[in-house]
Amino acid sequence: MTTSAVLPTYARADLAFERGEGAWLVATDGRRFLDFAAGIAVCAFGHAHPYLVKALTEQAGKLWHTSNMFRIPGQELLARRLADASFADYVFFTNSGAEAVECAIKTARKYHVATGNPERWRIIGFHDAFHGRTLATIAAAGQKKLLEGFGPPVEGFDHVPFGDLDALKAAISHETAAILFEPIQGEGGINPLSDETMRAIRQLCDDNGILLILDEVQCGMGRTGKLFAHEWAGVAPDILATAKGIGGGFPLGACLASEKAAVGMNAGTHGSTYGGNPLAMAVGNAVLDLLLEPGFLDRVNAAASSLRQSLAMIVDSHPGLVEGVRGRGLMLGLKVRDGIENKRLLVAMRAAGLIGVGGGDNTVRLLPPLNITEEDVAACARLLDTACAALSAELKAEAKAAS
């Protein structure tokens, strides 16, 4: 019999935390952990950042919720700021990344209805994608492990190998409404799409009257050193879903759209009870204050360069355990050698005092807060080296016992 009443949909580590301080977490038993998972890229400014705490507590003392039946000044402000800083003309606020992707899917389909092409409703995505856990977003990702056991998948999604332009061209039909993908697959194992491929897909969309939807739930909001990852390629989407870092730890997501793409989304077509409420908007605006501070993204890129060099040294020091580093900015993945489960490295890291997160293709994701210091990077390298050495010794002992 279980001792917890929480639905067991997660294989949780036996570890609970009492408080956080910047990039560090303190467990209920007093142990300290360097948090390079950041709640899976959510805690963009670490734990208990004074500026975010102040914004939330001040708003909590004034007004929590009114619903979207009324104007919400903080929402109008954040939408305007996001639009001014991006390709978008409109923003819809949600509570999560999955809801933001759902909004993006609906916006794309509605665009084609509003422009006289209702037959265009199918959306093409990539293998190994992850777009959330709702019924439509698991269908959009198309992975068997996500769909299994939940009945017939939501209709209207086609899939091709990641970044395969020829397959993408072949999959386009008169029913295709949009192409949806993550510029860097996160859950799929930190797989970046090349800038050249991004530009080619944009052109493909333009040539075929198809909308481009980007899922920047994990790779957006400064994670790669730009406000949004697609900016590195010099292209703009028609619709974009983002979340995680946008709330710095408060549940918040957003669907951004150009005026053209949003043409069908008028009153009554979509909604959210909590999305964009005053509490979320107070934190979202505070996050954007920090993110758009002059020079901040330059510091993200400098920290990313330093961390990547440190990880390359770990790969050189432990070639039998890890084989490479991939990703962009502070969204990096360590590829663990085949035959060694990435979970084992994650366990060794926790034992050493470092928290990462697993990913597809046997990777360990490192997604630290965006404001990490040189000391944090040095601590990560030291703890990771300890973890790799411990796991290597463990594997050696197992091999010896088996021989």
Side-chain angles (χ1 to χ4, degrees):
M1 180 178 173
T2 180
T3 56
S4 173
V6 177
L7 192 68
T9 55
Y10 280 86
R12 300 173 197 272
D14 186 16
L15 190 58
F17 299 102
E18 187 175 82
R19 65 182 189 280
E21 302 161 351
W24 292 81
L25 283 168
V26 181
T28 49
D29 60 7
R31 285 181 294 162
R32 288 173 61 83
F33 295 83
L34 182 61
D35 184 9
F36 268 40
I40 316 183
V42 166
C43 304
F45 291 91
H47 300 281
H49 191 290
Y51 190 71
L52 303 188
V53 170
K54 181 172 181 287
L56 182 61
T57 51
E58 282 185 357
Q59 184 60 47
K62 292 190 289 188
L63 180 67
W64 288 27
H65 185 75
T66 58
S67 102
N68 284 300
M69 292 190 300
F70 304 99
R71 290 179 58 193
I72 299 173
Q75 188 180 118
E76 293 173 3
L77 174 63
L78 184 54
R80 171 47 51 204
R81 296 176 74 195
L82 285 169
D84 287 347
S86 72
F87 73 96
D89 297 299
Y90 293 110
V91 182
F92 180 88
F93 293 106
T94 66
N95 308 290
S96 69
E99 290 173 81
V101 175
E102 287 263 359
C103 179
I105 293 167
K106 289 178 69 175
T107 301
R109 289 181 174 178
K110 203 69 174 174
Y111 163 79
H112 289 290
V113 171
T115 53
N117 301 290
E119 74 282 3
R120 307 197 85 161
W121 64 289
R122 302 192 69 83
I123 292 172
I124 304 173
F126 287 144
H127 293 169
D128 301 319
F130 183 83
H131 299 299
R133 297 279 186 176
T134 64
L135 285 172
T137 55
I138 60 176
Q143 292 193 52
K144 186 181 175 187
K145 69 178 181 183
L146 300 175
L147 290 163
E148 209 163 49
F150 296 111
V154 172
E155 277 286 331
F157 298 98
D158 304 303
H159 301 93
V160 299
F162 182 70
D164 187 331
L165 285 174
D166 290 335
L168 203 48
K169 287 175 191 169
I172 293 172
S173 75
H174 69 285
E175 292 184 325
T176 303
I179 296 172
L180 161 66
F181 62 91
E182 305 152 273
I184 303 176
Q185 288 188 337
E187 187 90 6
I190 310 292
N191 294 316
L193 206 60
S194 73
D195 292 346
E196 184 184 12
T197 303
M198 289 271 292
R199 289 190 284 270
I201 295 174
R202 174 70 268 182
Q203 190 61 52
L204 199 57
C205 289
D206 292 341
D207 292 345
N208 289 276
I210 296 168
L211 296 183
L212 174 59
I213 306 173
L214 295 182
D215 178 343
E216 295 218 19
V217 168
Q218 189 169 144
C219 64
M221 300 309 295
R223 177 57 53 187
T224 68
K226 295 274 191 187
L227 181 59
F228 292 111
H230 67 264
E231 294 172 18
W232 288 106
V235 298
D238 299 295
I239 307 169
L240 178 145
T242 193
K244 294 190 181 287
I246 192 173
F250 197 93
L252 176 59
C255 177
L256 284 64
S258 67
E259 185 173 15
K260 169 191 161 186
V263 67
M265 299 301 279
N266 44 37
T269 54
H270 198 50
S272 171
T273 295
Y274 298 106
N277 84 0
L279 290 172
M281 295 301 94
V283 182
N285 274 301
V287 165
L288 211 56
D289 288 344
L290 298 175
L291 202 52
L292 297 182
E293 194 177 77
F296 178 75
L297 291 176
D298 292 335
R299 293 196 289 280
V300 171
N301 284 309
S305 175
S306 181
L307 179 60
R308 196 176 189 109
Q309 286 176 24
S310 297
L311 296 180
M313 289 171 68
I314 292 292
V315 172
D316 289 343
S317 301
H318 303 278
L321 191 62
V322 284
E323 63 181 57
V325 183
R326 60 198 194 200
R328 196 166 215 170
L330 288 175
M331 186 175 181
L332 296 173
L334 265 179
K335 175 74 171 74
V336 181
R337 288 212 175 273
D338 290 341
I340 305 169
E341 267 195 296
N342 59 353
K343 290 176 186 170
R344 296 194 65 174
L345 180 56
L346 286 166
V347 169
M349 286 166 58
R350 283 202 297 273
L354 174 64
I355 296 174
V357 58
D361 194 24
N362 211 30
T363 56
V364 165
R365 283 180 281 174
L366 294 169
L367 307 162
L370 302 181
N371 57 344
I372 51 167
T373 63
E374 277 298 319
E375 290 74 22
D376 295 328
V377 172
C380 171
R382 188 175 64 252
L383 297 171
L384 195 51
D385 185 54
T386 300
C388 287
L391 180 55
S392 294
E394 205 175 294
L395 293 167
K396 195 173 174 182
E398 288 174 8
K400 188 177 177 183
S403 63

